[in-house]
Amino acid sequence: MKRKTSVFWILFSCSALCFVSLTGIFFRIQQTTPTLAEYSAEPVVIIDAGHGGMDGGAIGIDGQIEKEINLSIALKLNTMLQAYGFQTILTRNSDVSIHSADAKTVRQQKTSDLKNRLKLLEDTESGILISIHQNQYSKSSAHGTQVFYGRNCAQSKELAEMLQKTITGYLQPDNTREIKQATKDIYILYQATKPAVMVECGFLSNREEAARLTDEEYQDQIAFSICMALMNCLADRS
Ligand SMILES: [Zn+2]
């Protein structure tokens, strides 16, 4: 019996030690994950209206053009963020591609355009990128906002979570989509070393959602939700 008791106490002590150390590691990880509020006291928000110029992006079920919706939401977001005192930069404020002059073919221009958007983020001190896009899927039933985040910077995920929560809470209570880390297909987010997210506001392949996405009032609500989410993340900055 005595031997059994001591084996029990040895096992119990080992488990307790493991628990304490794991909890310690967990809390240290929690504490050392940098937050967006700690990132910069004066962040510069780079608002990226996806596509533009020869690249129209997705085409909606009723002919909606993604690049136009992206720009419209981006301009609204820019106005709101500036009204709240944020410094902002738009990657484009009209229907253009921002490729370099030496890019000749359409393929070269698309690659150059993406590289220049990424460069703008990387060259901007305290830059935070919010890229605006619209989604498309073969099944027309797919709908709802989904936020993607860059893999190289912890704050990207924090911002993506807040965006997804704010947009769905305010506008899409039935949306159960979850945020996703960007794969290499999403070039800017995959390469970015600074906070970077992409908001796929909705699906242009869904008739009802495509109609809403071209509605000025709904675009205002999307822009406002993005603005609120960012302000929430940055509220505690010193
Ligand atoms: Zn797009």
Side-chain angles (χ1 to χ4, degrees), residues 88-144:
T88 60
I89 297 175
L90 284 156
T91 54
R92 65 179 179 99
N93 60 9
S94 61
D95 182 17
V96 291
S97 159
I98 59 164
H99 59 267
S100 305
D102 60 349
K104 300 297 176 209
T105 66
V106 171
R107 193 191 173 101
Q108 285 169 348
Q109 288 175 355
K110 279 193 178 184
T111 306
S112 167
D113 171 89
L114 289 175
K115 283 188 174 172
N116 286 341
R117 291 176 201 239
L118 173 65
K119 189 172 184 316
L120 186 59
L121 170 65
E122 296 296 322
D123 289 351
T124 303
E125 198 182 329
S126 304
I128 297 173
L129 181 94
I130 299 181
S131 198
I132 308 290
H133 281 257
Q134 312 305 318
N135 222 331
Q136 191 177 38
Y137 193 56
S138 52
K139 281 186 184 162
S140 63
S141 56
H143 67 282

Side-chain angles (χ1 to χ4, degrees), residues 1 6-7 15 22 27-28 30 32 42-43 59 63 70-72 78-79 109 116 122 142 166 168 170:
M1 278 306 269
S6 55
V7 169
S15 312
L22 284 174
F27 279 111
R28 267 201 301 281
Q30 289 279 85
T32 53
E42 290 187 35
I59 302 294
N70 296 343
L71 180 60
S72 184
N78 186 48
T79 305
Q109 288 175 355
N116 286 341
E122 296 296 322
T166 308
T168 55
Y170 182 44

